Amino acid sequence: RDLSVLLLPSSSENTNPNIRRVTTAFLTELSSSLARVHEQSITSATGSPTTDDATGGLDAEDQISLASSIRQFSSTLAHWLEENGPSSFGFGLNGGEKKAEMIDSSLWEAFVVDIIRRLSPTLGSAPQGLHGRASTAYLASLAAGGGLVTLNKVLQSCIPGFLGVLALLDENREDSTTSTQSSNAKNRDEEKMAAAMRGIAALISSCRVTLGRLERKYRGVKINPHPMLLFSSKIIQKISLALNSIAKHADDSQLSLAAVAALESILTTADLQALNEEDVNSMIKSFSTLASFILQTDDAVIKTSSSDEWKTACARALGALISNGFVDVNAEVSEECHHLCVYAESLL
């Protein structure tokens, strides 16, 4: 609360003069300290041991509240620093309007870019650990609340690492024929891949939040190119690999649940018009797998008792697909997008 009063503008002001007095070194240290205390709060809330704990004395509920407040403050400050930078810095979203009191873009870089550079490597090496999970939550919050420039920076820095972890799906598919992996190694891999898949789903959701806010602010203007354009195809293929592994048995593992959540997120966020035929076919195959469990239409699927969480996740994803199938009949859609809509209608 004190930091908000010191650095953020009040509801009646457009700026806070104090932010113009700080140095890049101060913002770099502030960002690092916020991320560190955020991680300590999450660690303490889970009951895990921690050293150099700056949040001691708080109960679990207060720790969670503190972590949430840190994410809110960080994303708000990142958004303000981005929005009040030079017009060219904001991808021209300010319509060429000249700002009376622009701030130097180096302040945004100090607060946002430096911490992304510090936290993102963990997402490609150990996203399942406490540091990885805390870093994912912190960076996803920055992406959701910081603005388009911040969103693009987070996506470009974090998604390649997550996709690198999910390359284990290809390796495991090859190992399945030789059974060279031990059970413990496979479990470790699955935990790691599930964390990466959840991280991707979180970043896609952050993308949806930011694009929705910009669309409302600029009266329906669409962002082009779409922030997910470079990653959608690769993510869809990884989701397909994860879900195809459960085609012959009900599987409510954490990886499967994370893959279903990511599938729903990319369906409702990505630019479906930009998908190619392979992407659409992979999505349809993935949704067919989910439908076979929910609708019980595939005799090849062993009807074992799966959890309510698994069934709910499948139902949510299928519901999102069906709702996307109701497009304006007069709207121009790509042939690939049309195939997806036809499949969605066939589920009714």
Side-chain angles (χ1 to χ4, degrees):
R1 186 180 297 113
D2 291 341
L3 286 173
S4 297
V5 172
L6 283 171
L7 298 176
L8 296 177
S10 66
S11 57
S12 60
E13 299 175 322
N14 292 324
T15 185
N16 187 322
N18 290 330
I19 194 63
R20 303 182 186 283
R21 302 189 183 111
V22 302
T23 64
T24 55
F26 171 82
L27 285 177
T28 298
E29 180 60 31
L30 174 63
S31 181
S32 178
S33 298
L34 289 169
R36 183 172 64 253
V37 176
H38 173 263
E39 181 177 341
Q40 291 172 350
S41 296
I42 292 178
T43 302
S44 298
T46 60
S48 301
T50 180
T51 59
D52 190 28
D53 190 352
T55 67
L58 299 178
D59 59 26
E61 185 176 345
D62 289 336
Q63 298 281 9
I64 294 173
S65 177
L66 174 59
S68 178
S69 297
I70 290 173
R71 292 194 298 271
Q72 177 64 38
F73 170 79
S74 296
S75 61
T76 302
L77 181 55
H79 182 269
W80 191 89
L81 291 172
E82 175 183 328
E83 193 173 61
N84 288 274
S87 295
S88 58
F89 181 61
F91 284 103
L93 286 177
N94 297 304
E97 296 177 3
K98 183 178 179 180
K99 297 178 182 178
E101 298 180 278
M102 290 189 301
I103 61 172
D104 195 288
S105 61
S106 63
L107 296 179
W108 172 85
E109 292 172 0
F111 188 74
V112 176
V113 177
D114 286 353
I115 197 62
I116 293 174
R117 190 179 295 121
R118 281 191 51 217
L119 298 182
S120 58
T122 303
L123 307 187
S125 57
Q128 77 280 17
L130 279 171
H131 180 54
R133 297 202 301 265
S135 297
T136 297
Y138 190 85
L139 294 176
S141 177
L142 279 182
L148 182 62
V149 188
T150 303
L151 169 67
N152 277 313
K153 186 63 179 178
V154 172
L155 294 180
Q156 293 162 11
S157 300
C158 299
I159 288 185
F162 284 139
L163 290 173
V165 172
L166 292 176
L168 289 168
L169 285 166
D170 302 275
E171 297 174 12
N172 289 351
R173 181 175 58 174
E174 295 172 0
D175 288 341
S176 65
T177 59
T178 60
S179 299
T180 57
Q181 271 194 317
S182 68
S183 176
N184 288 338
K186 288 182 179 179
N187 289 338
R188 286 195 299 270
D189 283 352
E190 179 164 310
E191 181 185 9
K192 189 174 183 179
M193 289 187 291
M197 194 71 82
R198 283 192 295 269
I200 285 176
L203 292 180
I204 296 173
S205 296
S206 296
C207 182
R208 182 170 64 250
V209 170
T210 296
L211 293 184
R213 185 175 64 248
L214 291 173
E215 187 172 344
R216 291 190 298 272
K217 181 176 181 179
Y218 296 104
R219 300 178 183 179
V221 172
K222 300 290 185 181
I223 302 300
N224 187 33
H226 194 285
M228 290 297 301
L229 183 63
L230 294 177
F231 309 110
S232 294
S233 180
K234 294 177 182 178
I235 292 172
I236 288 170
Q237 298 307 319
K238 297 302 181 186
I239 292 172
S240 179
L241 278 176
L243 293 180
N244 286 346
S245 68
I246 65 169
K248 293 187 177 180
H249 56 87
D251 183 356
D252 53 2
S253 68
Q254 289 304 305
L255 176 56
S256 301
L257 287 167
V260 174
L263 180 62
E264 179 189 354
S265 292
I266 202 159
L267 174 71
T268 55
T269 304
D271 181 6
L272 300 182
Q273 299 275 39
L275 299 182
N276 58 40
E277 184 177 2
E278 182 182 6
D279 296 335
V280 170
N281 289 338
S282 294
M283 290 186 76
I284 290 175
K285 188 174 182 180
S286 295
F287 279 113
S288 296
T289 299
L290 305 187
S292 67
F293 288 116
I294 297 300
L295 304 178
Q296 305 253 314
T297 58
D298 189 350
D299 292 336
V301 176
I302 301 174
K303 312 300 193 299
T304 59
S305 58
S306 51
S307 70
D308 289 340
E309 185 180 10
W310 164 252
K311 294 175 183 176
T312 300
C314 292
R316 281 175 54 92
L318 290 170
L321 173 65
I322 292 171
S323 67
N324 266 16
F326 291 103
V327 297
D328 186 347
V329 295
N330 295 318
E332 293 185 7
V333 298
S334 66
E335 183 178 352
E336 290 75 18
C337 187
H338 177 69
H339 289 162
L340 192 61
C341 294
V342 169
Y343 175 74
E345 292 175 0
S346 72
L347 294 174
L348 296 176

